[in-house]
Amino acid sequence: GMGCGKTGNEGQCTECGAGLRIYTDKPSRSGYGFTIANNRFETIGYNGIQTFGSQSTITTNVFLNNCFSKGDCGAINTFGNNNLASTYVYDIQILDNIILNTVGNSDGAAPSFHSLFGFGIYLDHYSRNIASRGNTIAYSTATGILYQNATGDIENNTVFQNGQSGGWYYQVTLTSASQAYKFNNNTLVSHTDHLRNLSLASLGQVSAADNNRY
C-alpha cells in the first residue's frame, strides 16, 4: 500500500493498497449493483473497501486494522464526482458491519499530517443517498462516521470511542455541504478529553433526529 501508481510514474498515490477497489459506472468494469457480504478485511494498507459506483450493498463484514500503512482513508470509503446531482456514487447501503481500529498511518507525512488519520465510514466528495444503518464502529483514530459533501440516512449505529489520535474528533461528522435525512436510534459514546459525539455545520443539516443516545 505504499506505492504511487501502477507503473511508478502516474502520481496516483491514492490508488495502491485497498482491500477491494471498485471503479465507476462503466460496463467494462461493472462498478455498480454489487453486494459485498460476510467478508473479513484485516490489516489492509489503505481503504478496506473503496467504491466509485452506485446501487450497491456492503453488509455484515468485519473490518479490523484497516488503513494500516496509509492515512486519510477508511474501512469503507466512497468517492463521487462533479456534484451531487450527476455523481456516479449514489443509493448505497452500508449495513450491519463491524469496524474496529481503523489506523490511518501517517508515517512520513508532512508535519501538519502527523496525527493518525483513519475513519470508520468515510463518505466523500459527492456521495448521494448513502444509508449507514446498524453498524458498530469503534476505535478509529479519526471520526467514526464522516459524511463529507454527502447525503443519506444514519440510523441504528453504535459509534464508540473513535478519535483515538488525540485530536478534536467526533463520533459522527457532517461537513457543511452534507445532509442527513434521518439521524435516528444511534448510540454515540465519547469518554476521553477532546472527543465529542456529533458535529454539524448547521442545524438544518439533519432533517429528523429521534431516539438517539449520547
Side-chain angles (χ1 to χ4, degrees), residues 67-142:
C67 300
F68 197 75
S69 59
K70 286 186 174 180
D72 192 13
C73 58
I76 299 173
N77 172 247
T78 64
F79 194 86
N81 61 293
N82 299 326
N83 56 64
L84 283 169
S86 65
T87 183
Y88 290 132
V89 178
Y90 60 90
D91 296 348
I92 293 175
Q93 306 283 313
I94 301 173
L95 311 174
D96 302 316
N97 300 282
I98 297 174
I99 300 173
L100 303 175
N101 304 323
T102 306
V103 178
N105 193 333
S106 57
D107 290 350
S112 58
F113 288 95
H114 275 178
S115 297
L116 297 175
F117 202 22
F119 302 89
I121 295 176
Y122 186 0
L123 308 177
D124 197 11
H125 192 64
Y126 306 128
S127 300
R128 187 181 78 233
N129 196 30
I130 314 298
S132 300
R133 291 194 179 97
N135 303 286
T136 299
I137 304 160
Y139 303 113
S140 306
T141 55

Side-chain angles (χ1 to χ4, degrees), residues 2 26 34 36 38 48 78 100 105 109 122 156 163 165 189 201 205 208:
M2 298 304 292
K26 294 182 180 179
F34 55 83
I36 303 168
N38 307 319
T78 64
L100 303 175
N105 193 333
Y122 186 0
N156 304 308
S165 65
V189 181
Q205 288 181 269

Side-chain angles (χ1 to χ4, degrees), residues 40-69:
R40 183 180 180 95
F41 294 85
E42 183 171 353
T43 317
I44 303 296
Y46 191 43
N47 297 295
I49 296 173
Q50 184 178 40
T51 179
F52 304 83
S54 66
Q55 299 173 299
S56 300
T57 300
I58 300 169
T59 183
T60 55
N61 302 284
V62 174
F63 300 84
L64 179 65
N65 297 327
N66 286 199
C67 300
F68 197 75
S69 59

